[in-house]
Amino acid sequence: HHQEDLVLIHNVPMLKSIANNWEQVEGFQARPDDLIIATYPKAGTTWVSEIVDIVHNNGDVAKSSQAPIYYRVPYMEFFMHPEKNIPGMRYLNSMASPRLIKTHLPVQLLPKSMWENKCKIIYMARNAKDVAVSFFYFHHNIKALPDVGTWEEFLQKYIAGKVSYGSWHDHVKGWWKKRQEHPILYLFYEDMKEDPANEIRKLMRFLEKDLREEVLEKIIHHTSFQFMKKNPMTNYEGLSHDTVFPFMRKGITGDWKNHFTVAQNEIFDADYARKMEGSGLQFRTEI
Ligand code: A3P
């Protein structure tokens, strides 16, 4: 594995491996019963994917433990299937319906057929500062990702939107606006962390699932950070040959305080206020 450069796709920096296959991404054929999980990287994609898969299986935890999460909820725009050396698109096309599919694409780059087929979409957002920290570690853990340098260097790129998938601000704002015209359930990592029962109930309503309270309790247990960290189906253990672990790093809100200097925080906040003004979006950076 070697480090990848970023290439602009409609002005959004993307990994070369994705950019090289862009026509296939654009032309992706969605089905009306596809369920899409959309996130900015490191916003809790794996976590919400596991929850959605179990709710979708009516709370059947055993069924959701039959395969690693990246098979059950495959990545739409990533082309090499993580384990078997087969193109991701071919794997997706061969999947039986209903499919659960994850993507990190900003709203304006989502394949047209997902809108045309009115696919239900679950968007998970996480505060910008914890995402920055998590994304920084991720770049150092996954050898195929671009070299982002020191924390200071990475943070500058992140603020400028010069990282894979572009600006966090544009991503969360774009998806927030889109929910006015499309079935999108917009969830927050911090809310899920604080009150999973409440958030999973929202998800159940969105997916039209009426599960009993004891099933809900079981789902909460099975998708807790501690459980998922030990669970080989969710901790990416099988991929350890090209990564430095753990994928399940800390799983908390507010770890940014251990990384941002006072000066970095001031610069970040000033830029944030300017970009997020009038968006109607409110994030909590501690709980
Ligand atoms: P940290 O690096 O802050 O620990 P993604 O799946 O989008 O790549 O996001 C990864 C982040 O979600 C990591 O954050 C990871 O620890 C966290 N995460 C994964 N499962 C979680 C869970 N069950 N509860 C809370 N956080 C979780």
Side-chain angles (χ1 to χ4, degrees):
H1 282 269
H2 58 279
Q3 280 166 347
E4 283 208 49
D5 298 326
L6 298 177
V7 178
L8 287 180
I9 293 286
H10 300 290
N11 250 352
V12 179
M14 299 286 286
L15 292 175
K16 206 187 260 172
S17 56
I18 296 172
N20 286 344
N21 292 290
W22 191 250
E23 273 135 63
Q24 284 187 65
V25 176
E26 268 186 325
F28 180 76
Q29 269 312 303
R31 305 172 191 160
D33 57 358
D34 284 342
L35 197 52
I36 314 299
I37 295 168
T39 56
Y40 189 82
K42 312 320 288 176
T45 326
T46 314
W47 187 17
V48 74
S49 297
E50 180 73 350
I51 295 171
V52 169
D53 187 38
I54 298 173
V55 170
H56 198 247
N57 285 323
N58 303 308
D60 186 346
V61 166
K63 186 157 183 223
S64 294
S65 299
Q66 284 168 359
I69 188 68
Y70 44 82
Y71 288 131
R72 290 180 278 129
V73 187
Y75 192 2
M76 200 259 298
E77 65 274 16
F78 191 73
F79 278 84
M80 289 321 274
H81 195 269
E83 264 185 0
K84 297 172 190 156
N85 215 16
I86 61 167
M89 225 23 116
R90 204 167 81 207
Y91 178 72
L92 274 163
N93 290 337
S94 73
M95 272 177 88
S97 291
R99 303 182 294 190
L100 307 186
I101 301 170
K102 79 164 181 177
T103 180
H104 292 315
L105 291 175
V107 73
Q108 74 277 16
L109 296 189
L110 205 75
K112 225 169 59 212
S113 72
M114 288 188 176
W115 304 123
E116 288 166 353
N117 282 287
K118 298 196 166 50
C119 301
K120 279 188 181 176
I121 301 175
I122 293 144
Y123 187 82
M124 170 88 117
R126 186 184 191 187
N127 80 78
K129 293 178 185 178
D130 283 326
V131 166
V133 170
S134 188
F135 212 7
F136 172 69
Y137 282 106
F138 193 62
H139 278 89
H140 283 273
N141 285 346
I142 308 284
K143 296 192 190 87
L145 293 180
D147 180 3
V148 292
T150 63
W151 163 242
E152 170 69 29
E153 288 163 340
F154 172 76
L155 190 59
Q156 280 179 22
K157 291 189 181 84
Y158 179 77
I159 290 173
K162 292 185 173 155
V163 291
S164 181
Y165 292 102
S167 154
W168 173 92
H169 312 77
D170 290 347
H171 207 283
V172 297
K173 283 193 292 184
W175 280 100
W176 180 248
K177 194 148 184 269
K178 191 71 179 181
R179 85 199 194 295
Q180 294 166 350
E181 50 181 87
H182 189 91
I184 295 171
L185 179 68
Y186 201 104
L187 300 172
F188 294 89
Y189 180 101
E190 294 75 18
D191 295 346
M192 188 64 85
K193 190 82 198 169
E194 189 178 67
D195 190 352
N198 193 50
E199 299 312 299
I200 296 171
R201 277 193 204 104
K202 283 185 198 166
L203 193 56
M204 282 161 45
R205 278 195 294 278
F206 187 67
L207 300 181
E208 296 166 71
K209 297 282 183 185
D210 189 17
L211 308 180
R212 294 193 318 275
E213 278 301 300
E214 68 235 52
V215 177
L216 178 60
E217 286 306 317
K218 198 172 65 176
I219 297 172
I220 293 171
H221 173 72
H222 199 87
T223 58
S224 70
F225 182 76
Q226 283 70 22
F227 195 94
M228 283 181 61
K229 193 177 169 71
K230 283 183 301 182
N231 183 354
M233 296 305 169
T234 50
N235 66 9
Y236 289 77
E237 205 175 79
L239 298 180
S240 55
H241 52 277
D242 44 17
T243 55
V244 184
F245 268 63
F247 179 87
M248 305 286 296
R249 199 183 60 89
K250 276 200 175 172
I252 60 167
T253 297
D255 190 40
W256 64 270
K257 289 179 183 172
N258 300 316
H259 296 82
F260 281 67
T261 65
V262 172
Q264 286 168 347
N265 198 39
E266 278 171 8
I267 292 169
F268 194 92
D269 283 348
D271 173 77
Y272 186 95
R274 214 163 32 76
K275 288 177 179 159
M276 299 302 285
E277 194 198 339
S279 68
L281 260 172
Q282 206 90 51
F283 282 86
R284 292 185 297 157
T285 57
E286 48 202 291
I287 51 173

